[in-house]
């Protein structure tokens, strides 16, 4: 293998819990909920799937169905989809829905998996090209910079910048082209079998990891080092 492509959320990074997300926004806004209200609200936001990178929505409201399908193709559609889900849940101030969305784009809302730096560093030492291919509606590069992982990444292929989303093979092809890599010599690493599995249409090999909280997956990326020997 001459290059490895990685998904972002659930693969290299994990977003904070819904509880931590909500608590941070309430604290910043100096807004308060009683503990029972907080628990109920966090559970409702979790069920709604309002946290990007968190739990998948248990139900997509009919009025959001169309924008949900294209949520990763533009920043505007991404924001509309997720703030729309958030607004299914009452909050003390309507402005908190936008604050929640802004919070999820903060580097503080994300943690790299424990072995991410080790694996990316080892790949770099071996001269393997590294790309990030993500379905996303905002620029994740600041997250990588804040956590010191941008130094390992050679290219980013982000859905909102190309107007296409995984599993469309064109997004993987764009990353391969940037790396100057033959797709047949590229490994795609991700947590979504449908989306990330789209790389196989180009001839890429694919390796899947489990989308778990960071502290429950300490070494899920290390098998990648064996696969590219």
């Amino acid at each position: 293998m001459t290059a490895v492509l990685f998904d972002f959320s659930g693969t290299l990074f994990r977003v904070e819990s819904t509880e931590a997300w909500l608590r941070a926004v309430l604290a910043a806004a100096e807004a308060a909920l009683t503990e029972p209200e907080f628990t109920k609200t966090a559970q409702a936001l979790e069920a709604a799937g309002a946290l990007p990178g968190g739990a998948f929505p248990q139900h997509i409201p009919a009025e959001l169905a169309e924008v949900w399908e294209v949520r990763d193709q533009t920043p505007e559609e991404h924001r509309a989809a997720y703030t729309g889900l958030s607004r299914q849940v009452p909050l003390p101030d309507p402005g908190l829905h936008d604050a929640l969305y802004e919070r999820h784009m903060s580097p503080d809302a994300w943690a790299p998996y424990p072995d991410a730096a080790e694996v990316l560093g080892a790949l770099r030492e071996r001269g393997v090209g590294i790309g990030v291919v993500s379905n996303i509606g905002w620029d994740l590069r600041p997250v990588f910079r804040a956590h010191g992982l941008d130094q390992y990444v050679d290219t980013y292929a982000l859905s909102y910048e190309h107007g296409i989303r995984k599993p469309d093979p064109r997004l993987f092809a764009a990353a391969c082209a940037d790396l100057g890599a033959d797709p047949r010599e590229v490994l795609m690493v991700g947590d979504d079998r449908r989306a990330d599995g789209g790389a196989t249409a180009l001839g890429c090999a694919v390796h899947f990891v489990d989308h778990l909280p960071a502290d429950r997956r300490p070494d899920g990326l290390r098998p990648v080092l064996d696969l590219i020997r």
Side-chain angles (χ1 to χ4, degrees):
M1 296 293 175
T2 60
V4 180
L5 306 178
F6 290 92
D7 173 51
F8 167 56
S9 175
T11 300
L12 289 175
F13 282 84
R14 169 75 183 213
V15 75
E16 64 190 342
S17 69
T18 304
E19 291 82 3
W21 177 55
L22 175 59
R23 202 176 293 280
V25 167
L26 291 174
E30 297 183 349
L33 289 172
T34 66
E35 202 57 34
E37 289 173 333
F38 175 86
T39 299
K40 180 180 179 180
T41 301
Q43 290 174 344
L45 287 168
E46 178 96 359
L51 172 57
F56 197 78
Q58 293 182 7
H59 168 71
I60 305 294
E63 67 272 19
L64 296 176
E66 186 174 345
V67 73
W68 178 256
E69 287 303 312
V70 294
R71 65 192 180 280
D72 296 317
Q73 292 181 195
T74 71
E76 295 77 17
E77 287 161 335
H78 194 269
R79 179 183 288 270
Y82 281 101
T83 57
L85 291 173
S86 173
R87 289 190 174 95
Q88 306 300 307
V89 181
L91 293 176
D93 181 338
L96 291 174
H97 296 289
D98 285 312
L100 284 170
Y101 186 83
E102 294 295 331
R103 166 70 188 183
H104 105 273
M105 296 186 288
S106 165
D108 290 340
W110 295 87
Y113 280 93
D115 56 345
E118 171 195 338
V119 170
L120 294 176
L123 292 174
R124 173 53 54 86
E125 288 177 1
R126 297 180 189 183
V128 176
I130 298 171
V132 172
V133 184
S134 178
N135 283 348
I136 198 165
W138 50 276
D139 187 4
L140 50 71
R141 294 173 183 87
V143 175
F144 279 77
R145 286 196 293 270
H147 291 279
L149 298 188
D150 63 311
Q151 62 183 308
Y152 304 117
V153 181
D154 299 300
T155 191
Y156 297 86
L158 310 181
S159 61
Y160 84 96
E161 292 182 336
H162 291 266
I164 49 178
R165 57 197 295 263
K166 299 180 291 185
D168 192 319
R170 292 177 294 172
L171 198 59
F172 305 102
C176 291
D178 286 346
L179 294 170
D182 183 331
R184 294 168 297 181
E185 298 175 353
V186 172
L187 175 67
M188 175 65 205
V189 182
D191 67 296
D192 187 321
R193 280 160 174 74
R194 178 179 178 273
D196 299 313
T200 61
L202 296 177
C204 299
V206 180
H207 175 69
F208 295 109
V209 295
D210 294 323
H211 189 152
L212 295 171
D215 59 358
R216 290 176 52 197
R217 210 194 76 192
D219 54 7
L221 292 168
R222 289 197 182 113
V224 171
L225 299 179
D226 294 324
L227 293 171
I228 57 91
R229 284 178 181 170

